[in-house]
Amino acid sequence: MTQAEIKLCSLLLQEHFGEIVEKIGVHLIRTGSQPLRVIVHDTKTSLDQVKKALCVLIQHNLVTYQVHRRGTVEYEAQCSRVLRMLRYPRYIYTAKTLYSDTGELIVEELLLNGKMTMSALVKRVADRLTETMEDGKTMDYAEVSSTFVRLADTHFVQRCPLVSPAENAEPGPPQPAPTLVISEKDMYLVPKLSLIGKGKRRRSSEEDAPGEPKAKRLKHSADNKEPIPDDGIYWQANLDRFHQHFRDQAIVSAVANRMDQTSSEIVRTMLRMSEITTPSSAPFTQPLSSNEIFRSLPTGYNISKQVLDQYLTLLADDPLQFVGKSGDSGGGTYVINLHKVLGSLATATLESVVQERFGSRCARIFRLVLQKKHLEQKQVEDFAMIPAKEAKDMLYKMLSENFILLQEIPKTPDHAPSRTFYLYTVNILSAARMLLHRCYRSIANLIERRQFETKENKRLLEKSQRVEAIIASMQATGAEEAQLQEIEEMITAPERQQIETLKRNVNKLDASEIQVDETIFLLESYIESNMKRQ
Amino acid sequence: MAEVKVKLQPPDADPVEIENRIIELCHQFPHGITDQVIQNEMPHIEAQQRAVAINRLLSMGQLDLLRSNTGLLYRIKDSQNAGKMKGSDNQEKLVYQIIEDAGNKGIWSRDIRYKSNLPLTEINKILKNLESKKLIKAVKSVAASKKKVYMLYNLQPDRSVTGGAWYSDQDFESEFVEVLNQQCFKFLQTKAETARESKQNPMIQRNSSFASSHEVWKYICELGISKVELSMEDIETILNTLIYDGKVEMTIIAAKEGTVGSVDGHMKLYRAVNPIIPPTGLVRAPCGLCPVFDDCHEGGEISPSNCIYMTEWLDF
């Protein structure tokens, strides 16, 4: 793990879980897999605290454990999984667009709690929804359950691995740690529960102040003492599926930008049809015949079969090579070239970064070297039609930032500079890795700035919180208008202005983190697809 | 009466006569005559006399000696030229010959030295001499600005030396290229727009958004923004720069020989396109464009907490 990634993980863990968990987590990321005793010794925290921290981390799928031959259990942290915490807002937003508010809350609760049983989840979500609804209306459990079932069917949520039943039957001393297994077909099987009930609206006296720890809220909602029917079956969010969805979105928008709306709809249909059938790391989707595509088009689109065929031919002939024709049966079978798409998107990201940082003429030279693979200095000037001095300057600038590499081809065995060819070339994989590293550092910078801004104005924020609490309590006890005014004036106008600015800045920094995360997603998908190919 | 072997005295054994006859023959065949032709014409002259006459004509500078695959050719020299070189000696004539052979590409002084095997000082003296007589001129090459190539005075320098349409007096005309670039792109863009708005079936829509290089060339010529005559290859280099800008894509289709604009049986078609992704997330944050990114760390002179770029960006 690079230094930048470790820094980012430490910032995220600290923000979401606190100091102790952060210390343990970062230690595990830095040193790899370790047994419990060693962690306690190295981090100099008490055994109790380490256990609790590990509990939290395991609950959130950030740490896994393994039983070794000699009976020791070693814990290992997943650095990439910690970095996914940046993407939680995007996951929740996707669930909202696909399954509306109910889906949004289900995914949010799952992500915040790591693992949950279905019944607990449904109850919690119903309660939350009921609170936002008007007086007198409540949310039915059945509706929440049906949304949950739909999420499971489309593989957005999956079951966590369970304790294997064979272990309990084995005679002999119990294992130091259970091994968890789950079979492929069980992963999305929803247990048959009859959850009947309605969401409970919390009374205002029980309303929690913001920032209360989660444990207290759990105690509040543990009203019924009935045994939960699906005890032991825990669910977690299936992040791979969400990533697949993001990738599909990127492909569809790329096609829409390059061609027109109808082509992008066709591509979206094709991707939807291969959602469940194609594993996410495959280079091509399953071949789809044009008849199937025609039948699966959304009902709003009434284009004739011939027009569809024409669009498919156009897509297959396009120089981008996103769609390929793999045969002629069934009116022509088509596949989507997933690896090629990721490569094109990563290349486009690189080009966009070069353009914004160095200017459009540099971008021209960059694309030129990208297309022609290897070029000499003189050829670059000729093809790009840029004066020699400027071209040289730009090439050296990009060389110093490692976007472009220099390849030496000696003519003589003694590598004399006057008798060597120097060729410029671009290696997309290494440039993508370099850019990814920069993205991690940028996000760490943005988080640090956000924390700094908040810390700067801490005094002001605390004051405004106190004032709000006073006003709320006075409103509850029925105070007069004049008294309320007086309390409100405790915050002067410039201070109010400052708070406004602070809120705006924090929002901007947050939004920027999410945008940089989009770039990270594209680059990571490309690097991953390249690794799998090898 | 015994047979007397009569040796016919050749009627024109006079050397001058021979020379005049040869010159007449050369005028008859301006492309040159071989030794065989002279022999046929004047069979009564012995080989030795012929040789003497030809040598005299060569040294007087009235005949040119050329080699062809059939043998040696003699050609009448241009009388004007013959007069020019009267004052020069053999070395100068040799150098002049070499420069003439180089045609309109010109020849570098070191190459003249190799070909003539003359020492450097001699070459320089001769070149200065010839230049002052206005027989040759020096042209600066656009590739290496210190190098000078020599060519005959009245010849136009070749494109590779002056750089062609994009160079005017050794200067690369970047503004001209930029203007052409934008004009071509605008033409392709409007073509794509009209095609998109026509709302016919997608095949026709796409095909009508393409423009061949010939069409673009005609459009630019009609616009008349260029003082220099531009060929189709020039327009293709401009369109290639648009491809490297990511604004245009190209396909090659097979075209029948004879259709307008086809070269060697295929045509190049160009089409304006949009980029496939909007500017990426990283460049929307100040860190993506920061010039001092590598020096920035918490607690240092440059850190995220006191970053001036971020402050400006947040105030925006």
Side-chain angles (χ1 to χ4, degrees), chain A residues 364 367 448-449 508 515 519, chain B residues 245 280 284 298 304 313:
Chain A
R364 193 193 283 183
R367 281 196 199 95
E448 275 183 3
R449 179 62 182 236
K508 210 178 211 184
Q515 283 171 344
T519 314
Chain B
D245 276 335
T280 189
R284 298 212 197 127
E298 197 51 41
W313 175 67

Side-chain angles (χ1 to χ4, degrees), chain A residues 140-207:
Chain A
D140 204 7
Y141 278 12
E143 207 175 310
V144 181
S145 313
S146 69
T147 317
F148 185 84
V149 167
R150 275 163 62 201
L151 276 169
D153 280 336
T154 43
H155 294 203
F156 278 109
V157 298
Q158 66 185 24
R159 274 207 214 181
C160 304
L162 307 163
V163 179
S164 79
E167 267 193 20
N168 295 337
E170 242 178 55
Q175 295 271 5
T179 43
L180 304 173
V181 293
I182 182 133
S183 70
E184 185 70 37
K185 56 183 174 58
D186 281 341
M187 250 208 271
Y188 306 104
L189 214 53
V190 181
K192 295 267 182 296
L193 301 172
S194 54
L195 289 166
I196 305 169
K198 293 197 180 3
K200 286 205 185 47
R201 192 185 294 275
R202 265 199 294 222
R203 288 187 296 275
S204 45
S205 59
E206 287 177 9
E207 202 162 359

Side-chain angles (χ1 to χ4, degrees), chain A residues 500-527:
Chain A
E500 276 303 314
T501 324
L502 175 67
K503 265 198 209 131
R504 203 178 48 129
N505 288 350
V506 167
N507 281 343
K508 210 178 211 184
L509 286 163
D510 251 334
S512 177
E513 283 170 40
I514 298 181
Q515 283 171 344
V516 181
D517 181 63
E518 284 175 17
T519 314
I520 289 185
F521 173 69
L522 285 176
L523 292 171
E524 271 183 357
S525 313
Y526 169 68
I527 294 176

Side-chain angles (χ1 to χ4, degrees), chain A residues 259-517:
Chain A
M259 308 184 88
D260 62 354
Q261 192 65 21
T262 325
S263 321
S264 72
E265 279 305 316
I266 296 177
V267 172
R268 198 202 298 268
T269 317
M270 287 175 77
L271 284 166
R272 205 179 318 130
M273 285 160 68
S274 25
E275 257 169 15
I276 318 267
T277 55
T278 315
S280 58
S281 56
F284 300 96
T285 59
Q286 299 290 334
L288 300 163
S289 77
S290 95
N291 292 332
E292 283 173 7
I293 301 175
F294 185 59
R295 277 198 297 270
S296 322
L297 275 180
T299 44
Y301 269 86
N302 44 356
I303 53 176
S304 71
K305 182 84 172 34
Q306 289 151 332
V307 176
L308 173 72
D309 280 335
Q310 282 184 345
Y311 269 115
L312 283 170
T313 329
L314 280 179
L315 277 169
D317 281 337
D318 195 71
L320 277 179
Q321 293 182 352
F322 282 0
V323 176
K325 187 161 185 187
S326 75
D328 282 313
S329 61
T333 47
Y334 296 90
V335 291
I336 299 191
N337 223 327
L338 292 169
H339 277 186
K340 193 91 198 322
V341 173
L342 290 172
S344 306
L345 289 169
T347 317
T349 312
L350 282 173
E351 287 169 10
S352 140
V353 172
V354 169
Q355 179 148 354
E356 298 293 328
R357 269 180 84 178
F358 303 118
S360 47
R361 295 177 121 197
C362 257
R364 193 193 283 183
I365 295 182
F366 185 73
R367 281 196 199 95
L368 167 66
V369 180
L370 203 58
Q371 279 184 25
K372 303 267 183 184
K373 308 269 186 284
H374 292 272
L375 278 181
E376 270 189 326
Q377 169 79 37
K378 185 81 179 41
Q379 289 171 312
V380 169
E381 289 160 17
D382 286 337
F383 280 124
M385 310 218 80
I386 293 180
K389 239 195 302 200
E390 289 178 31
K392 228 180 267 197
D393 190 35
M394 290 177 189
L395 275 170
Y396 289 158
K397 210 176 352 174
M398 283 198 279
L399 192 62
S400 68
E401 299 279 344
N402 289 326
F403 281 102
I404 285 191
L405 305 170
L406 205 54
Q407 168 79 33
E408 293 175 10
I409 300 185
K411 291 191 231 184
T412 56
D414 63 351
H415 287 250
S418 59
R419 289 189 291 271
T420 327
F421 287 116
Y422 290 99
L423 300 178
Y424 292 99
T425 180
V426 174
N427 183 347
I428 303 184
L429 193 56
S430 70
R433 278 196 227 263
M434 187 257 312
L435 208 58
L436 188 61
H437 189 251
R438 192 172 172 126
C439 286
Y440 288 140
R441 280 186 66 188
S442 306
I443 294 198
N445 286 348
L446 287 167
I447 295 182
E448 275 183 3
R449 179 62 182 236
R450 179 160 52 90
Q451 289 177 342
F452 172 75
E453 294 268 328
T454 324
K455 204 164 59 161
E456 277 272 297
N457 298 308
K458 200 160 90 158
R459 190 195 63 91
L460 200 55
L461 275 174
E462 280 176 358
K463 182 170 167 191
S464 85
Q465 273 182 355
R466 271 202 316 267
V467 167
E468 273 175 34
I470 295 175
I471 291 183
S473 67
M474 289 183 79
Q475 268 182 338
T477 56
E480 292 168 5
E481 195 60 42
Q483 279 178 317
L484 284 173
Q485 283 279 52
E486 211 180 288
I487 305 288
E488 267 187 31
E489 269 163 34
M490 271 171 61
I491 305 182
T492 61
E495 285 181 344
R496 218 180 283 275
Q497 185 78 0
Q498 230 176 327
I499 295 181
E500 276 303 314
T501 324
L502 175 67
K503 265 198 209 131
R504 203 178 48 129
N505 288 350
V506 167
N507 281 343
K508 210 178 211 184
L509 286 163
D510 251 334
S512 177
E513 283 170 40
I514 298 181
Q515 283 171 344
V516 181
D517 181 63

Side-chain angles (χ1 to χ4, degrees), chain A residues 91-109 125 129 132-133 139 143-144 146-148 150-151 156 242:
Chain A
Y91 299 143
I92 298 173
Y93 181 71
T94 310
K96 184 176 181 139
T97 48
L98 291 176
Y99 296 105
S100 80
D101 288 339
T102 327
E104 174 198 357
L105 286 178
I106 292 179
V107 173
E108 189 180 331
E109 287 292 327
V125 171
L129 278 171
T132 60
M133 292 166 100
M139 191 66 177
E143 207 175 310
V144 181
S146 69
T147 317
F148 185 84
R150 275 163 62 201
L151 276 169
F156 278 109
F242 279 106

